Amino acid sequence: MQVAKRWSWVAVGVLLVGVWAACSDHDTKPTSAPKTQPTAAKPKPTPAATTTTTAKPWYDDYDPARFAPEVRGYAKQAGINPQLLMAILYNEDYKPHDPKFERQWAEVDSDPAFGIANMHKPAFDETKRGRDFAKRKWEELPDNPALAIEAAAWHLHDLAKRLPSKRADLYTKDELLALGYNAGGGNMRIFARGRKAGSQAQSYLDRLHSNWAKSAEALKS
């Protein structure tokens, strides 16, 4: 029994050695797949850069000269001097004409004026009667420069009709119309008869004079 056991252990040992040898040969001589050189990825086409240009609102860096075509057109329709109308627009550009600002200002101003020509509601409502813009509203003026110019032109037309036939030589017709636009038709008639304008009205007239040459240049655009 001891010899048989010994041989049995020897046989087992030989078997294990054979198995180990087989495994060892398999592990020490691995077969690896041939390596392939990585191919460079094709560059994806870069989309052309797109630039979005957003036009600025008309009231940013506002200059009345940009509305020269409207001034020429409406002044001709109303039969007034386009240089006078343009000069009044320059006189009235002293405040921002952002529509939102104008409406906010109207909430605290007891007598607000709207639009680039700074027209008060009574003057607008009176001027629009029987005109092409009769159905338009004063509240539209902040958003509509063309309507503001049209209304201002016809307002000057109506003021001209109120001038007395005989006038003093103190002011020219255009000066009187500018004074009427600023101080009202009643005061304009008083100035037309020879009364000198007060300090506020004179200040408006002085600004008109300073804007006169600039207005002529603006109308060339």
Side-chain angles (χ1 to χ4, degrees):
M1 294 292 295
Q2 293 294 332
V3 175
K5 288 181 179 181
R6 186 180 298 116
W7 281 107
S8 64
W9 283 108
V10 171
V12 171
V14 172
L15 180 61
L16 290 174
V17 170
V19 172
W20 176 83
C23 293
S24 178
D25 288 344
H26 178 74
D27 291 341
T28 56
K29 296 179 181 180
T31 56
S32 57
K35 295 182 179 180
T36 58
Q37 294 296 328
T39 57
K42 292 182 179 179
K44 295 181 179 180
T46 303
T50 57
T51 56
T52 303
T53 303
T54 303
K56 289 184 177 182
W58 62 265
Y59 46 82
D60 283 357
D61 300 324
Y62 165 65
D63 183 349
R66 70 177 296 166
F67 297 111
E70 289 85 352
V71 169
R72 289 192 297 265
Y74 289 123
K76 183 177 181 180
Q77 289 181 18
I80 63 166
N81 184 354
Q83 190 172 358
L84 169 63
L85 180 56
M86 180 63 81
I88 286 176
L89 292 183
Y90 273 111
N91 268 32
E92 301 295 342
D93 73 351
Y94 61 88
K95 73 176 185 181
H97 287 298
D98 181 334
K100 182 178 179 181
F101 171 85
E102 287 200 356
R103 290 190 171 91
Q104 289 176 340
W105 183 255
E107 294 177 1
V108 297
D109 189 346
S110 59
D111 186 23
F114 273 172
I116 61 174
N118 284 333
M119 185 170 282
H120 296 272
K121 191 175 188 302
F124 178 81
D125 289 342
E126 182 179 356
T127 301
K128 74 177 185 178
R129 294 173 187 168
R131 302 266 157 71
D132 292 342
F133 56 101
K135 295 183 179 180
R136 308 301 291 272
K137 296 182 179 180
W138 173 74
E139 288 79 6
E140 297 177 56
L141 292 180
D143 304 289
N144 196 326
L147 177 61
I149 295 170
E150 182 178 17
W154 284 105
H155 182 46
L156 289 169
H157 167 90
D158 293 346
L159 286 171
K161 292 177 65 176
R162 296 180 62 185
L163 284 172
S165 56
K166 293 183 179 181
R167 301 192 300 268
D169 296 332
L170 187 59
Y171 300 108
T172 67
K173 178 182 177 180
D174 282 341
E175 288 174 332
L176 287 170
L177 293 179
L179 288 170
Y181 194 92
N182 175 252
N187 286 322
M188 175 193 70
R189 290 174 62 85
I190 293 174
F191 301 146
R193 294 189 182 99
R195 175 81 62 86
K196 189 175 180 181
S199 58
Q200 184 174 346
Q202 185 60 48
S203 175
Y204 191 85
L205 196 57
D206 291 342
R207 293 203 309 275
L208 188 87
H209 292 156
S210 65
N211 288 324
W212 198 250
K214 179 166 60 175
S215 300
E217 190 65 28
L219 287 168
K220 296 177 183 179
S221 59

Short mmCIF file of all heavy atoms in Angstrom, two decimals, residues 146-191:
data_model
loop_
_atom_site.label_atom_id
_atom_site.label_comp_id
_atom_site.label_asym_id
_atom_site.label_seq_id
_atom_site.Cartn_x
_atom_site.Cartn_y
_atom_site.Cartn_z
N ALA A 146 -41.74 110.12 -38.15
CA ALA A 146 -42.34 110.68 -39.37
C ALA A 146 -43.65 111.38 -39.06
O ALA A 146 -43.93 112.47 -39.59
CB ALA A 146 -42.55 109.57 -40.40
N LEU A 147 -44.46 110.77 -38.20
CA LEU A 147 -45.72 111.40 -37.81
C LEU A 147 -45.46 112.69 -37.05
O LEU A 147 -46.17 113.69 -37.25
CB LEU A 147 -46.54 110.43 -36.96
CG LEU A 147 -47.87 110.96 -36.40
CD1 LEU A 147 -48.81 111.35 -37.53
CD2 LEU A 147 -48.52 109.91 -35.49
N ALA A 148 -44.45 112.70 -36.21
CA ALA A 148 -44.10 113.90 -35.45
C ALA A 148 -43.69 115.03 -36.39
O ALA A 148 -44.06 116.20 -36.19
CB ALA A 148 -42.98 113.59 -34.47
N ILE A 149 -42.93 114.69 -37.42
CA ILE A 149 -42.48 115.71 -38.38
C ILE A 149 -43.67 116.22 -39.20
O ILE A 149 -43.79 117.43 -39.45
CB ILE A 149 -41.39 115.12 -39.30
CG1 ILE A 149 -40.14 114.79 -38.48
CG2 ILE A 149 -41.05 116.10 -40.42
CD1 ILE A 149 -39.10 113.99 -39.23
N GLU A 150 -44.52 115.31 -39.62
CA GLU A 150 -45.70 115.71 -40.39
C GLU A 150 -46.59 116.66 -39.59
O GLU A 150 -47.04 117.70 -40.09
CB GLU A 150 -46.50 114.47 -40.79
CG GLU A 150 -47.71 114.77 -41.65
CD GLU A 150 -48.47 113.52 -42.07
OE1 GLU A 150 -48.25 112.45 -41.45
OE2 GLU A 150 -49.28 113.60 -43.01
N ALA A 151 -46.82 116.31 -38.33
CA ALA A 151 -47.66 117.16 -37.48
C ALA A 151 -47.01 118.52 -37.25
O ALA A 151 -47.70 119.56 -37.27
CB ALA A 151 -47.93 116.46 -36.15
N ALA A 152 -45.71 118.54 -37.02
CA ALA A 152 -45.01 119.81 -36.80
C ALA A 152 -45.07 120.70 -38.04
O ALA A 152 -45.27 121.92 -37.94
CB ALA A 152 -43.55 119.55 -36.41
N ALA A 153 -44.94 120.08 -39.21
CA ALA A 153 -44.99 120.86 -40.45
C ALA A 153 -46.35 121.53 -40.62
O ALA A 153 -46.44 122.73 -40.95
CB ALA A 153 -44.70 119.95 -41.64
N TRP A 154 -47.41 120.79 -40.39
CA TRP A 154 -48.75 121.36 -40.56
C TRP A 154 -49.10 122.33 -39.44
O TRP A 154 -49.89 123.27 -39.64
CB TRP A 154 -49.79 120.25 -40.68
CG TRP A 154 -49.75 119.60 -42.02
CD1 TRP A 154 -49.24 118.37 -42.34
CD2 TRP A 154 -50.22 120.17 -43.25
NE1 TRP A 154 -49.36 118.14 -43.69
CE2 TRP A 154 -49.96 119.22 -44.27
CE3 TRP A 154 -50.84 121.37 -43.59
CZ2 TRP A 154 -50.30 119.46 -45.61
CZ3 TRP A 154 -51.17 121.61 -44.92
CH2 TRP A 154 -50.90 120.66 -45.91
N HIS A 155 -48.52 122.13 -38.28
CA HIS A 155 -48.72 123.09 -37.19
C HIS A 155 -48.10 124.44 -37.57
O HIS A 155 -48.71 125.51 -37.35
CB HIS A 155 -48.11 122.56 -35.90
CG HIS A 155 -48.31 123.44 -34.71
ND1 HIS A 155 -49.53 124.01 -34.38
CD2 HIS A 155 -47.44 123.87 -33.75
CE1 HIS A 155 -49.41 124.73 -33.29
NE2 HIS A 155 -48.16 124.67 -32.88
N LEU A 156 -46.91 124.41 -38.17
CA LEU A 156 -46.28 125.64 -38.63
C LEU A 156 -47.11 126.27 -39.76
O LEU A 156 -47.24 127.50 -39.83
CB LEU A 156 -44.86 125.34 -39.12
CG LEU A 156 -43.85 125.00 -38.02
CD1 LEU A 156 -42.56 124.46 -38.63
CD2 LEU A 156 -43.56 126.22 -37.15
N HIS A 157 -47.68 125.43 -40.60
CA HIS A 157 -48.57 125.93 -41.66
C HIS A 157 -49.75 126.69 -41.06
O HIS A 157 -50.11 127.79 -41.54
CB HIS A 157 -49.07 124.74 -42.48
CG HIS A 157 -50.21 125.07 -43.40
ND1 HIS A 157 -50.04 125.49 -44.70
CD2 HIS A 157 -51.57 125.03 -43.20
CE1 HIS A 157 -51.21 125.69 -45.26
NE2 HIS A 157 -52.17 125.43 -44.38
N ASP A 158 -50.35 126.12 -40.02
CA ASP A 158 -51.51 126.77 -39.39
C ASP A 158 -51.10 128.05 -38.67
O ASP A 158 -51.87 129.03 -38.66
CB ASP A 158 -52.17 125.80 -38.41
CG ASP A 158 -52.81 124.61 -39.12
OD1 ASP A 158 -52.97 124.66 -40.36
OD2 ASP A 158 -53.13 123.62 -38.43
N LEU A 159 -49.91 128.06 -38.08
CA LEU A 159 -49.43 129.27 -37.42
C LEU A 159 -49.23 130.39 -38.45
O LEU A 159 -49.55 131.56 -38.18
CB LEU A 159 -48.11 128.99 -36.69
CG LEU A 159 -48.21 128.19 -35.39
CD1 LEU A 159 -46.81 127.80 -34.90
CD2 LEU A 159 -48.95 128.99 -34.30
N ALA A 160 -48.73 130.02 -39.62
CA ALA A 160 -48.50 131.03 -40.66
C ALA A 160 -49.81 131.69 -41.09
O ALA A 160 -49.85 132.89 -41.40
CB ALA A 160 -47.82 130.37 -41.87
N LYS A 161 -50.89 130.93 -41.09
CA LYS A 161 -52.19 131.48 -41.47
C LYS A 161 -52.72 132.44 -40.41
O LYS A 161 -53.58 133.28 -40.70
CB LYS A 161 -53.19 130.34 -41.67
CG LYS A 161 -52.88 129.47 -42.90
CD LYS A 161 -53.85 128.31 -43.03
CE LYS A 161 -55.26 128.79 -43.29
NZ LYS A 161 -56.21 127.66 -43.51
N ARG A 162 -52.20 132.36 -39.20
CA ARG A 162 -52.66 133.22 -38.12
C ARG A 162 -51.84 134.50 -38.00
O ARG A 162 -52.17 135.38 -37.18
CB ARG A 162 -52.60 132.46 -36.79
CG ARG A 162 -53.54 131.27 -36.73
CD ARG A 162 -53.44 130.56 -35.39
NE ARG A 162 -53.84 131.43 -34.30
CZ ARG A 162 -53.76 131.09 -33.00
NH1 ARG A 162 -53.30 129.89 -32.67
NH2 ARG A 162 -54.14 131.95 -32.07
N LEU A 163 -50.80 134.62 -38.79
CA LEU A 163 -50.00 135.85 -38.74
C LEU A 163 -50.82 137.03 -39.27
O LEU A 163 -51.55 136.90 -40.26
CB LEU A 163 -48.73 135.69 -39.59
CG LEU A 163 -47.60 134.86 -38.99
CD1 LEU A 163 -46.51 134.64 -40.04
CD2 LEU A 163 -47.02 135.54 -37.76
N PRO A 164 -50.70 138.18 -38.63
CA PRO A 164 -51.43 139.36 -39.14
C PRO A 164 -50.88 139.80 -40.49
O PRO A 164 -49.70 139.59 -40.79
CB PRO A 164 -51.18 140.42 -38.05
CG PRO A 164 -49.95 139.97 -37.35
CD PRO A 164 -49.94 138.48 -37.40
N SER A 165 -51.75 140.37 -41.29
CA SER A 165 -51.32 140.80 -42.63
C SER A 165 -50.29 141.93 -42.56
O SER A 165 -49.39 142.00 -43.41
CB SER A 165 -52.53 141.24 -43.45
OG SER A 165 -53.24 142.28 -42.77
N LYS A 166 -50.41 142.75 -41.55
CA LYS A 166 -49.43 143.82 -41.36
C LYS A 166 -48.59 143.49 -40.14
O LYS A 166 -49.11 143.32 -39.03
CB LYS A 166 -50.14 145.16 -41.17
CG LYS A 166 -50.87 145.65 -42.42
CD LYS A 166 -51.50 147.01 -42.19
CE LYS A 166 -52.21 147.52 -43.45
NZ LYS A 166 -52.81 148.87 -43.24
N ARG A 167 -47.29 143.41 -40.36
CA ARG A 167 -46.40 143.03 -39.27
C ARG A 167 -45.28 144.05 -39.11
O ARG A 167 -44.87 144.72 -40.10
CB ARG A 167 -45.77 141.66 -39.54
CG ARG A 167 -46.79 140.55 -39.73
CD ARG A 167 -46.09 139.19 -39.71
NE ARG A 167 -45.11 139.03 -40.76
CZ ARG A 167 -45.39 138.51 -41.95
NH1 ARG A 167 -46.63 138.13 -42.24
NH2 ARG A 167 -44.43 138.37 -42.85
N ALA A 168 -44.78 144.16 -37.90
CA ALA A 168 -43.61 145.01 -37.65
C ALA A 168 -42.38 144.34 -38.25
O ALA A 168 -42.39 143.15 -38.57
CB ALA A 168 -43.44 145.22 -36.15
N ASP A 169 -41.32 145.09 -38.38
CA ASP A 169 -40.08 144.56 -38.99
C ASP A 169 -39.13 143.95 -37.97
O ASP A 169 -37.98 143.65 -38.31
CB ASP A 169 -39.35 145.70 -39.73
CG ASP A 169 -40.18 146.23 -40.90
OD1 ASP A 169 -40.98 145.44 -41.46
OD2 ASP A 169 -40.04 147.42 -41.22
N LEU A 170 -39.60 143.72 -36.77
CA LEU A 170 -38.70 143.23 -35.71
C LEU A 170 -38.25 141.80 -35.97
O LEU A 170 -37.09 141.45 -35.70
CB LEU A 170 -39.41 143.32 -34.36
CG LEU A 170 -38.58 143.00 -33.11
CD1 LEU A 170 -37.37 143.94 -33.02
CD2 LEU A 170 -39.45 143.12 -31.85
N TYR A 171 -39.14 140.96 -36.51
CA TYR A 171 -38.81 139.54 -36.75
C TYR A 171 -39.23 139.14 -38.16
O TYR A 171 -40.21 139.66 -38.71
CB TYR A 171 -39.55 138.63 -35.75
CG TYR A 171 -39.21 138.91 -34.31
CD1 TYR A 171 -40.15 139.52 -33.46
CD2 TYR A 171 -37.98 138.56 -33.77
CE1 TYR A 171 -39.85 139.76 -32.13
CE2 TYR A 171 -37.67 138.81 -32.44
CZ TYR A 171 -38.61 139.41 -31.63
OH TYR A 171 -38.31 139.67 -30.31
N THR A 172 -38.50 138.20 -38.72
CA THR A 172 -38.87 137.66 -40.03
C THR A 172 -40.04 136.67 -39.85
O THR A 172 -40.39 136.29 -38.72
CB THR A 172 -37.69 136.90 -40.66
OG1 THR A 172 -37.41 135.73 -39.89
CG2 THR A 172 -36.45 137.78 -40.75
N LYS A 173 -40.60 136.24 -40.96
CA LYS A 173 -41.71 135.29 -40.89
C LYS A 173 -41.27 133.98 -40.23
O LYS A 173 -41.99 133.44 -39.36
CB LYS A 173 -42.25 135.03 -42.30
CG LYS A 173 -43.38 134.00 -42.33
CD LYS A 173 -43.85 133.73 -43.75
CE LYS A 173 -44.93 132.66 -43.78
NZ LYS A 173 -45.40 132.38 -45.17
N ASP A 174 -40.13 133.47 -40.63
CA ASP A 174 -39.65 132.21 -40.05
C ASP A 174 -39.39 132.36 -38.55
O ASP A 174 -39.66 131.44 -37.76
CB ASP A 174 -38.38 131.73 -40.75
CG ASP A 174 -38.68 131.08 -42.10
OD1 ASP A 174 -39.85 130.69 -42.33
OD2 ASP A 174 -37.76 130.97 -42.93
N GLU A 175 -38.84 133.50 -38.15
CA GLU A 175 -38.60 133.73 -36.73
C GLU A 175 -39.91 133.77 -35.96
O GLU A 175 -40.02 133.21 -34.85
CB GLU A 175 -37.83 135.04 -36.53
CG GLU A 175 -36.36 134.95 -36.96
CD GLU A 175 -35.67 136.29 -36.89
OE1 GLU A 175 -36.35 137.35 -37.04
OE2 GLU A 175 -34.44 136.32 -36.70
N LEU A 176 -40.90 134.42 -36.52
CA LEU A 176 -42.21 134.48 -35.86
C LEU A 176 -42.84 133.09 -35.75
O LEU A 176 -43.43 132.76 -34.71
CB LEU A 176 -43.14 135.42 -36.63
CG LEU A 176 -42.83 136.91 -36.50
CD1 LEU A 176 -43.66 137.72 -37.49
CD2 LEU A 176 -43.10 137.39 -35.07
N LEU A 177 -42.70 132.29 -36.81
CA LEU A 177 -43.27 130.93 -36.74
C LEU A 177 -42.56 130.09 -35.68
O LEU A 177 -43.20 129.30 -34.98
CB LEU A 177 -43.17 130.26 -38.11
CG LEU A 177 -44.04 130.88 -39.22
CD1 LEU A 177 -43.84 130.13 -40.53
CD2 LEU A 177 -45.51 130.87 -38.82
N ALA A 178 -41.25 130.26 -35.57
CA ALA A 178 -40.51 129.54 -34.53
C ALA A 178 -40.96 130.01 -33.15
O ALA A 178 -41.14 129.20 -32.23
CB ALA A 178 -39.01 129.76 -34.71
N LEU A 179 -41.16 131.31 -33.00
CA LEU A 179 -41.65 131.83 -31.72
C LEU A 179 -43.05 131.32 -31.42
O LEU A 179 -43.39 131.00 -30.28
CB LEU A 179 -41.63 133.37 -31.74
CG LEU A 179 -40.25 134.02 -31.69
CD1 LEU A 179 -40.36 135.53 -31.98
CD2 LEU A 179 -39.60 133.78 -30.32
N GLY A 180 -43.88 131.23 -32.47
CA GLY A 180 -45.22 130.69 -32.28
C GLY A 180 -45.19 129.23 -31.89
O GLY A 180 -46.00 128.78 -31.07
N TYR A 181 -44.26 128.47 -32.47
CA TYR A 181 -44.14 127.05 -32.14
C TYR A 181 -43.76 126.88 -30.67
O TYR A 181 -44.25 125.97 -29.99
CB TYR A 181 -43.08 126.39 -33.03
CG TYR A 181 -43.12 124.89 -32.98
CD1 TYR A 181 -43.88 124.17 -33.89
CD2 TYR A 181 -42.41 124.18 -32.02
CE1 TYR A 181 -43.94 122.78 -33.83
CE2 TYR A 181 -42.45 122.80 -31.96
CZ TYR A 181 -43.22 122.10 -32.87
OH TYR A 181 -43.28 120.73 -32.81
N ASN A 182 -42.94 127.79 -30.18
CA ASN A 182 -42.46 127.68 -28.80
C ASN A 182 -43.41 128.33 -27.79
O ASN A 182 -43.67 127.76 -26.72
CB ASN A 182 -41.08 128.32 -28.69
CG ASN A 182 -40.55 128.36 -27.27
OD1 ASN A 182 -40.48 129.43 -26.66
ND2 ASN A 182 -40.18 127.21 -26.74
N ALA A 183 -43.93 129.49 -28.12
CA ALA A 183 -44.69 130.28 -27.14
C ALA A 183 -46.18 130.31 -27.41
O ALA A 183 -46.94 130.86 -26.61
CB ALA A 183 -44.14 131.71 -27.10
N GLY A 184 -46.63 129.74 -28.54
CA GLY A 184 -48.05 129.73 -28.84
C GLY A 184 -48.44 130.80 -29.85
O GLY A 184 -47.75 131.83 -30.00
N GLY A 185 -49.55 130.54 -30.55
CA GLY A 185 -50.00 131.44 -31.60
C GLY A 185 -50.35 132.83 -31.10
O GLY A 185 -50.10 133.82 -31.80
N GLY A 186 -50.93 132.92 -29.90
CA GLY A 186 -51.32 134.23 -29.36
C GLY A 186 -50.11 135.11 -29.15
O GLY A 186 -50.11 136.30 -29.55
N ASN A 187 -49.07 134.58 -28.53
CA ASN A 187 -47.85 135.37 -28.31
C ASN A 187 -47.18 135.71 -29.64
O ASN A 187 -46.61 136.79 -29.79
CB ASN A 187 -46.88 134.60 -27.42
CG ASN A 187 -47.32 134.58 -25.97
OD1 ASN A 187 -47.83 135.57 -25.45
ND2 ASN A 187 -47.13 133.45 -25.31
N MET A 188 -47.25 134.77 -30.60
CA MET A 188 -46.65 135.03 -31.91
C MET A 188 -47.27 136.28 -32.54
O MET A 188 -46.55 137.13 -33.10
CB MET A 188 -46.87 133.82 -32.82
CG MET A 188 -46.39 134.02 -34.25
SD MET A 188 -46.98 132.72 -35.37
CE MET A 188 -48.74 133.12 -35.45
N ARG A 189 -48.57 136.42 -32.43
CA ARG A 189 -49.23 137.58 -33.02
C ARG A 189 -48.82 138.88 -32.32
O ARG A 189 -48.68 139.93 -32.95
CB ARG A 189 -50.75 137.39 -32.94
CG ARG A 189 -51.26 136.30 -33.88
CD ARG A 189 -52.75 136.03 -33.65
NE ARG A 189 -53.56 137.21 -33.92
CZ ARG A 189 -54.01 137.55 -35.13
NH1 ARG A 189 -53.71 136.79 -36.18
NH2 ARG A 189 -54.74 138.63 -35.30
N ILE A 190 -48.59 138.76 -31.01
CA ILE A 190 -48.12 139.94 -30.26
C ILE A 190 -46.72 140.33 -30.72
O ILE A 190 -46.43 141.52 -30.94
CB ILE A 190 -48.13 139.64 -28.74
CG1 ILE A 190 -49.56 139.46 -28.24
CG2 ILE A 190 -47.43 140.76 -27.98
CD1 ILE A 190 -49.66 139.01 -26.80
N PHE A 191 -45.86 139.32 -30.89
CA PHE A 191 -44.50 139.62 -31.38
C PHE A 191 -44.55 140.18 -32.79
O PHE A 191 -43.74 141.04 -33.16
CB PHE A 191 -43.65 138.34 -31.35
CG PHE A 191 -43.52 137.70 -29.99
CD1 PHE A 191 -43.43 136.32 -29.86
CD2 PHE A 191 -43.49 138.47 -28.84
CE1 PHE A 191 -43.30 135.72 -28.62
CE2 PHE A 191 -43.37 137.88 -27.58
CZ PHE A 191 -43.28 136.49 -27.47
#
